[in-house]
């Protein structure tokens, strides 16, 4: 068995690269985490929870996550309109990764600097 040579490899063909292509973006992981924690969330609730995200960015990021089949959008035919977001089964399969990140952060968080 020969050793792998980086010159013959491409990061773009790895599972890591594919996963990163789905979750890469300033707020994608935050939205996924929010849905993992709260299960079903309405748009304005998510906007208030994330705080620094703009309405436009939240909307476009949710559309991207929906297109990648990680988030489900349920629209109810009523006035005013009601839309809820939740993780799909595919999105739920990321929960162990998100949990691992939470655990790592809890264990490795540096103490806050006092000024």
């Amino acid at each position: 068995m020969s050793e792998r040579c980086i010159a013959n490899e491409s990061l773009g063909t790895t599972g890591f690269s594919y996963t990163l292509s789905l979750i890469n973006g300033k707020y994608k992981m935050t939205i996924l985490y929010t849905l993992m924690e709260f299960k079903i969330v309405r748009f304005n609730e998510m906007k208030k929870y994330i705080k620094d995200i703009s309405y436009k960015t939240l909307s476009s990021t949710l559309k991207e996550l929906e297109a990648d089949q990680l988030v489900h959008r349920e629209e109810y035919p009523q006035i005013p309109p009601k839309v809820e977001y939740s993780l799909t089964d595919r999105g739920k399969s990321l929960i162990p990764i998100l949990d691992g990140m939470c655990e790592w952060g809890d264990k490795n968080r540096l103490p806050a600097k006092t000024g």
Side-chain angles (χ1 to χ4, degrees):
M1 178 185 207
S2 64
E3 200 170 306
R4 291 174 60 198
C5 176
I6 194 168
N8 299 327
E9 302 289 335
S10 171
L11 179 63
T13 63
T14 64
F16 174 82
S17 181
Y18 176 72
T19 304
L20 197 59
S21 75
L22 296 179
I23 62 174
N24 196 22
K26 186 171 182 180
Y27 293 103
K28 284 186 177 181
M29 291 292 291
T30 304
I31 290 169
L32 293 169
Y33 170 80
T34 303
L35 294 173
M36 177 188 82
E37 287 293 305
F38 298 101
K39 310 296 183 242
I40 298 172
V41 182
R42 293 180 70 177
F43 184 89
N44 285 331
E45 292 172 332
M46 194 172 310
K47 170 66 178 94
K48 287 177 187 172
Y49 182 71
I50 298 175
K51 289 183 181 43
D52 59 339
I53 192 171
S54 71
Y55 286 100
K56 182 179 177 182
T57 301
L58 178 56
S59 178
S60 64
T61 305
L62 283 165
K63 286 177 184 173
E64 289 175 22
L65 291 167
E66 187 181 3
D68 290 332
Q69 300 175 358
L70 298 174
V71 168
H72 173 71
R73 180 181 190 270
E74 185 72 35
E75 187 173 346
Y76 297 91
Q78 65 185 50
I79 296 177
K82 178 181 173 184
V83 179
E84 295 178 334
Y85 295 90
S86 59
L87 291 176
T88 62
D89 287 342
R90 188 173 195 222
K92 289 175 186 174
S93 71
L94 289 169
I95 287 176
I97 294 168
L98 297 171
D99 280 340
M101 291 176 69
C102 292
E103 289 173 21
W104 189 93
D106 287 341
K107 289 178 185 173
N108 291 281
R109 184 182 320 214
L110 297 175
K113 293 182 181 180
T114 55

